[in-house]
Amino acid sequence: MEDIVLVKPDVSYIPFMQELVEEDVKNGNILERSSNEMATTIRSYVVAKKADQIIGFAALHIHTIDLAEIRSLIVHKDYRGQSVGKKLIDFTIQEGKDLKLKKLLVLTYKQKLFESLGFEEISKESIPETKIWADCIKCKHFPICDEVSLTLDI
């Protein structure tokens, strides 16, 4: 794990990030984000790199003065189970604390991972409408969502 570093990406990373999530976008695990959408939110991302290869990333997307969402978490299949995802989540939690946010939200299929980091399951009815209409409506699974929603007070 020592040779895995976390960096804040610039827009030149976007094609490589999109390539990494391509399979998960196709199977509906991650929402597709256009190059332009990623460019406008590039500051929200953190990338895990090993040598010159992008092996994962996540984003911290701010919804309100109190709430942000960890989204777009992906780890290259060859590096899963090696704590890369945990490292990315820990980074976003710290970033949320640094920004003086109060709560983090995540919609995920990796419930146990997030619970191991202190997140607690909440009902989907308590998710802010801004999230539902900005992102969830674009999902191929909407309105029948099988992701678990969790939050963490920070």
Side-chain angles (χ1 to χ4, degrees):
M1 275 290 288
E2 300 92 37
D3 55 347
I4 295 172
V5 295
L6 299 183
V7 298
K8 294 295 281 184
D10 60 46
V11 294
S12 70
Y13 284 62
I14 292 172
F16 305 103
M17 293 166 71
Q18 287 176 315
E19 183 180 324
L20 180 61
V21 297
E22 187 174 8
E23 184 178 324
D24 283 274
V25 167
K26 284 181 184 172
N27 65 29
N29 288 338
I30 292 184
L31 286 178
E32 182 173 15
R33 306 236 182 248
S34 70
S35 297
N36 288 339
E37 183 178 5
M38 290 181 78
T40 63
T41 59
I42 196 67
R43 292 183 192 133
S44 70
Y45 289 95
V46 58
V47 170
K49 291 179 73 179
K50 183 170 182 171
D52 286 334
Q53 182 186 7
I54 295 173
I55 62 167
F57 64 86
L60 183 69
H61 181 76
I62 298 172
H63 285 286
T64 70
I65 193 169
D66 296 323
L67 177 71
E69 176 188 8
I70 297 173
R71 66 184 194 182
S72 302
L73 176 65
I74 184 75
V75 174
H76 188 285
K77 60 186 174 189
D78 293 345
Y79 294 92
R80 292 178 185 163
Q82 299 179 35
S83 297
V84 177
K86 180 185 180 308
K87 194 171 184 176
L88 288 163
I89 295 165
D90 285 343
F91 184 95
T92 59
I93 291 170
Q94 186 57 55
E95 197 170 34
K97 288 177 181 178
D98 293 345
L99 291 168
K100 307 291 190 244
L101 296 163
K102 294 185 173 121
K103 188 177 291 272
L104 297 180
L105 165 72
V106 65
L107 287 159
T108 184
Y109 294 108
K110 303 292 183 188
Q111 181 175 1
K112 289 188 185 333
L113 170 62
F114 282 92
E115 286 177 339
S116 75
L117 297 169
F119 284 76
E120 296 180 357
E121 186 174 356
I122 60 165
S123 72
K124 289 195 185 86
E125 291 74 32
S126 62
I127 296 172
E129 284 188 24
T130 53
K131 164 66 179 167
I132 303 300
W133 296 113
D135 287 326
C136 295
I137 199 163
K138 295 186 272 185
C139 179
K140 64 171 47 176
H141 302 295
F142 185 79
I144 310 299
C145 178
D146 55 350
E147 286 186 304
V148 177
S149 51
L150 301 107
T151 59
L152 176 71
D153 292 328
I154 54 173

